[in-house]
Amino acid sequence: MSSQDPHDLHTQIESLDPNSISSNRKTITILYFASAFTCTSKHRETLVLPTSPSPFSLPRLSRLLADTYIGMKEILESSAWSVNEEMVPEDEVDKVILRGDEVVAVIPPVSGG
């Protein structure tokens, strides 16, 4: 368990104008689809990556989102991820490190006909 309070990270999720972010702040864009959109009421948001502790992994992003949005933990348990429009294989999620400038999508399972 990290010694950093996870609530400190909550303040780093912002809906930012990309033009207002200084060049030394690393950010990622998070896209929400289906039930993830319903949970957040957002199609996208920007996260300013913390400078420490580093690195910022995809599992750490998952924990942050689960702590930030009620009901997101259950959605993420069955969701897939993509980074820069490439699907992340389930057995590779723990290895993904986010360094800034990525577009990360939460892709819940969908059904339909």
Side-chain angles (χ1 to χ4, degrees):
M1 191 49 96
S2 170
S3 62
Q4 183 173 4
D5 181 355
H7 298 288
D8 292 343
L9 295 176
H10 295 182
T11 61
Q12 296 176 12
I13 291 184
E14 306 172 28
S15 295
L16 294 173
D17 174 1
N19 297 323
S20 71
I21 301 171
S22 70
S23 60
N24 61 348
R25 294 173 70 190
K26 300 291 184 185
T27 63
I28 61 172
T29 300
I30 308 166
L31 306 177
Y32 301 107
F33 297 97
S35 58
F37 163 73
T38 301
C39 181
T40 63
S41 299
K42 300 175 185 180
H43 288 288
R44 70 172 49 221
E45 67 184 335
T46 300
L47 169 68
V48 177
L49 295 177
T51 55
S52 68
S54 187
F56 196 84
S57 64
L58 196 51
R60 187 165 167 211
L61 175 61
S62 179
R63 289 189 301 274
L64 172 62
L65 296 176
D67 288 345
T68 302
Y69 297 107
I70 296 170
M72 183 62 86
K73 180 180 179 184
E74 293 75 17
I75 293 167
L76 293 174
E77 288 172 351
S78 59
S79 293
W81 294 94
S82 76
V83 177
N84 294 335
E85 299 183 5
E86 290 190 30
M87 295 302 297
V88 177
E90 192 173 331
D91 62 344
E92 297 287 318
V93 169
D94 290 343
K95 300 174 187 174
V96 175
I97 301 300
L98 303 170
R99 303 184 192 295
D101 298 323
E102 293 93 353
V103 176
V104 179
V106 178
I107 307 172
V110 295
S111 61

